[in-house]
Each structure stands twice: as structure tokens, then as C-alpha cells.
């Protein structure tokens, strides 16, 4: 930067922001040319432990887990049951090492990667870097319930969008039941829109501040429409129309509990975002949504692919208490969970 220009900006900053603000802005002016390098250092550098050997498969399934052990017998078992034979599953935990997960991954022939820093974006980037042969990736949270055909139908929907050519998607999501955006499509597919509106007085779509995102009663209501999961998922899967008819463009921030994308998109946006501090949630999500917008590679969800999202944090305690009842309604989905809760 030109010295005179820098001095002029510093003078304006002093008068506008005071000494502390001017110092911060001056430091940023000096570092801004190196922003991309600093971000890559932040998002890709960190101590890791990898258990197991990558198998060199084309499809990767990264599972963020480590903090909801009551759900592992339910959700991870479904991944094991329905994952394609040519997929590489890697469970990852940010900020700690969980021996139970390491043992489970060894038993299933999966890899297990942990990062010393509690940064989910870093953990996801390390998983992808550790599996260089995988060009297609699923990212799943530990509270996502998949069903038969989930992985194959997600790939088919994404590929159909690519072939059609109007957009190059950044990622595709399934239609999640407990989600502030895709719950609307879920209600439509079940012809339950009017009933939900009568119960909760809204149908607004947003990644937060809607009942589907924070209200335990809404999560319970949506799950009661979802069970039995395998039956409902197959009914939705068998609906009329091709893959393109089931793709819905997402125009807001979206919760990325379950997504499918290609490695070249991950490379294009510089990977998942993180922060300099640890334990800050949602940064990987906002960075990914921003990356989709900035690269004109938008987000879609597929209304012919159903996945269950157990809950958001404000709903979790109430939902955990419902597992024994849900186990009687749908033992194939929730049966083992009732025994897993301490």
C-alpha cells in the first residue's frame, strides 16, 4: 500500500474509531494481502490422529460425531447398513479423542480422524485431505438418520442438476424433517401443511427463528409424521417425477447436517471455514453457504430423498426423552436408542 494512502486512512480511522479501532484497522490493512494464506493456515493446519487406512475409494462419507453417544447405535448403524460398497466412511471428532468411536470404526472397517483443536471445519478438511482418492463427498452429522437409497438418490439428484445445466450446484441436501427450510417440502409431500399451520401458526422458512428450528413440540410433531422412517422414506422416494422435478433451490442460509458435494467445489471455495478460536459452532456452515453464493454454485434440497434430523439444540432434551416412546412406534429406527441412554 502507498505510504501516503496508508497515513490518510490511519488519520481517518483515528477520528472515526478511536485509537483501539484505528490500530485494528491498521493491522488488517497490513495483513489483508495475505488473507487467503492466513485463512488456509487457520482452516487446514492442526494436529490430527488418523486411525485406520484409507482404501482409495471414489466416494467419501465424513461423519461428524463425538458429542451425542446416545444416538450412535441408531444413526451410525444406518450408515453402515446403507452406505454404498464403493464408499469410504470416516468418522471425525473435533477437539477430543473418543475410544468408543475408534473401536466402532475399526470394527466397521472405517477410518477415524480426530483433531486436537475443537474446530469442525478443520476436522472436515483434514478428513478430505486424508482421503485423496475420494472425488465425491457426503458430510453427515451424528444425529442424521438415513434410509435405504439415500446415498444413491442424492448422487442421482446432484448429477441430474449438473446434466441439465441451468446451475452448477455447490451441494445438495436431502429433505430433512426437522429443518427450518426443508420442513416445508416435507409437509407438502405428506399433505400435512394445513395441519402443521394449525398447530404452530406459521409456514415461514428460515435457518432459525421458526418453530421447526427451535421448538421441541414442532420437532416432536414432525418426527411423528416421519415414523416409521423406512416406510415414509420409501413412499417419498417412490413419488412421481424425475430427479429434476424434486430439486428445490435454497435461497437462504441452510443447516448442513447432511449434504453431498464434489471435491472440486471444496477446492474452489478453499475448504470448510473455521475460526482462530475453538468451539465456535456454525462457522463451517456459514462459510459453505457464502462459498455457494460467491461462486454461483447454489444449494438445493431434494424432495424425493428423506432423512431424519433428530433435533436442534433447543429441542434435544425433549427429544431424548421421547426415544423410548418412539422405539415402540418404530423399533427399526429407535429401538436400540432406548437402551443406549444412561
Amino acid at each position: 500500500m502507498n505510504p501516503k494512502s496508508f497515513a490518510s486512512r490511519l488519520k481517518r480511522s483515528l477520528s472515526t474509531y478511536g485509537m483501539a479501532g484505528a490500530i485494528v484497522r491498521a493491522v488488517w490493512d497490513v495483513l489483508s494481502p495475505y488473507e487467503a494464506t492466513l485463512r488456509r493456515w487457520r482452516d487446514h493446519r492442526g494436529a490430527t490422529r488418523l486411525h485406520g487406512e484409507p482404501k482409495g475409494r471414489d466416494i467419501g462419507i465424513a461423519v461428524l460425531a463425538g458429542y451425542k453417544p446416545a444416538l450412535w447405535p441408531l444413526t451410525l448403524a444406518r450408515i453402515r447398513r446403507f452406505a454404498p460398497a464403493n464408499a469410504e466412511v470416516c468418522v471425525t471428532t473435533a477437539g477430543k479423542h473418543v475410544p468408543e468411536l475408534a473401536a466402532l470404526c475399526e470394527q466397521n472397517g472405517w477410518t477415524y480422524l480426530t483433531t486436537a483443536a475443537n474446530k469442525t471445519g478443520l476436522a472436515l478438511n483434514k478428513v478430505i485431505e486424508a482421503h485423496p482418492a475420494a472425488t465425491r463427498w457426503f458430510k453427515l452429522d451424528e444425529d442424521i438418520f438415513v434410509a435405504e437409497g439415500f446415498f444413491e438418490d442424492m448422487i442421482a439428484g446432484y448429477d441430474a442438476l449438473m446434466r441439465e445445466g441451468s446451475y452448477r450446484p455447490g451441494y445438495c441436501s436431502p429433505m430433512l424433517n426437522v429443518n427450518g427450510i426443508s420442513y416445508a417440502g416435507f409437509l407438502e409431500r405428506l399433505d400435512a401443511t394445513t395441519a402443521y399451520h394449525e398447530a404452530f401458526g406459521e409456514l415461514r422458512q428460515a435457518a432459525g427463528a421458526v418453530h421447526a428450528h427451535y421448538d421441541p413440540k414442532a420437532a416432536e410433531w414432525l418426527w411423528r409424521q416421519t415414523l416409521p422412517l423406512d416406510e415414509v422414506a420409501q413412499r417419498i422416494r417412490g413419488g412421481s417425477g424425475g430427479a429434476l422435478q424434486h430439486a428445490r433451490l435454497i435461497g437462504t442460509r441452510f443447516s448442513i447436517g447432511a449434504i453431498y458435494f464434489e471435491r472440486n467445489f471444496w477446492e474452489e471455495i478453499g475448504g470448510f471455514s473455521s475460526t482462530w478460536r475453538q468451539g465456535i459452532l456454525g462457522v463451517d456452515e456459514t462459510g459453505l453457504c457464502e462459498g455457494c453464493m460467491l461462486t454461483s454454485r447454489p444449494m438445493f434440497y431434494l424432495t424425493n430423498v428423506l432423512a431424519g434430523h433428530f433435533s436442534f439444540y433447543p429441542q434435544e432434551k425433549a427429544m431424548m426423552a421421547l426415544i423410548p416412546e418412539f422405539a415402540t412406534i418404530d423399533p427399526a429406527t429407535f429401538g436400540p436408542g432406548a437402551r443406549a441412554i444412561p
Side-chain angles (χ1 to χ4, degrees):
M1 177 182 291
N2 184 289
K4 289 184 178 180
S5 174
F6 178 80
S8 176
R9 290 193 62 181
L10 180 58
K11 183 178 179 180
R12 289 198 304 270
S13 293
L14 281 169
S15 62
T16 305
Y17 303 105
M19 179 60 73
I23 291 173
V24 170
R25 292 176 68 85
V27 170
W28 181 245
D29 275 344
V30 172
L31 295 179
S32 59
Y34 310 100
E35 179 182 2
T37 300
L38 290 170
R39 287 183 185 276
R40 182 158 189 84
W41 180 278
R42 180 195 65 191
D43 298 343
H44 294 265
R45 295 294 291 256
T48 63
R49 294 173 64 183
L50 177 63
H51 297 258
E53 290 294 327
K55 298 177 176 62
R57 293 171 179 168
D58 180 59
I59 298 173
I61 303 173
V63 184
L64 270 175
Y67 293 89
K68 299 179 182 179
L71 298 179
W72 300 340
L74 311 175
T75 57
L76 299 186
R78 284 182 164 265
I79 294 172
R80 181 179 66 241
R81 179 181 174 188
F82 297 121
N86 62 331
E88 184 105 52
V89 179
C90 181
V91 177
T92 182
T93 306
K96 64 179 181 179
H97 175 82
V98 183
E100 294 86 351
L101 284 176
L104 184 148
C105 289
E106 182 177 2
Q107 176 184 345
N108 290 333
W110 300 346
T111 51
Y112 179 53
L113 185 145
T114 61
T115 58
N118 187 8
K119 300 180 180 182
T120 57
L122 172 65
L124 290 168
N125 289 334
K126 287 297 186 181
V127 167
I128 296 173
E129 291 167 3
H131 299 80
T135 61
R136 296 169 168 259
W137 279 94
F138 290 88
K139 178 264 183 185
L140 301 173
D141 287 349
E142 61 192 323
D143 59 356
I144 297 296
F145 292 72
V146 301
E148 183 179 357
F150 169 85
F151 296 100
E152 294 82 358
D153 292 347
M154 287 293 295
I155 294 172
Y158 177 95
D159 287 350
L161 284 165
M162 277 292 195
R163 286 193 303 270
E164 193 276 336
S166 294
Y167 296 99
R168 294 179 65 235
Y171 70 75
C172 285
S173 168
M175 184 171 64
L176 297 162
N177 55 353
V178 181
N179 177 278
I181 306 298
S182 62
Y183 85 101
F186 175 66
L187 294 174
E188 290 176 20
R189 291 301 306 269
L190 297 185
D191 197 21
T193 301
T194 299
Y196 183 90
H197 187 266
E198 290 174 351
F200 298 101
E202 71 172 8
L203 293 170
R204 188 167 69 91
Q205 300 174 50
V210 293
H211 285 275
H213 197 97
Y214 70 82
D215 187 345
K217 291 296 184 183
E220 177 185 349
W221 196 98
L222 291 164
W223 264 106
R224 289 189 184 278
Q225 313 310 306
T226 307
L227 302 179
L229 173 60
D230 293 314
E231 178 183 315
V232 175
Q234 290 308 304
R235 189 163 76 243
I236 285 174
R237 185 187 187 196
S240 61
L244 285 175
Q245 282 89 353
H246 292 294
R248 291 203 178 180
L249 187 66
I250 299 168
T252 71
R253 176 177 172 174
F254 191 83
S255 300
I256 59 169
I259 59 172
Y260 171 73
F261 58 96
E262 290 189 274
R263 189 186 195 96
N264 60 19
F265 170 68
W266 172 80
E267 294 171 343
E268 186 176 355
I269 65 172
F272 287 93
S273 297
S274 186
T275 61
W276 294 106
R277 292 185 296 154
Q278 297 189 44
I280 307 298
L281 299 178
V283 178
D284 53 339
E285 176 178 296
T286 56
L288 192 64
C289 294
E290 181 184 58
C292 286
M293 296 299 103
L294 293 178
T295 59
S296 294
R297 298 192 62 171
M299 308 167 283
F300 290 85
Y301 76 89
L302 307 177
T303 62
N304 65 328
V305 186
L306 176 65
H309 174 218
F310 186 69
S311 69
F312 290 102
Y313 178 74
Q315 303 160 328
E316 185 177 330
K317 183 177 180 181
M319 284 295 298
M320 285 291 184
L322 287 166
I323 287 182
E325 181 187 350
F326 283 0
T328 65
I329 299 171
D330 184 2
T333 300
F334 281 102
R339 298 190 297 273
I341 298 174

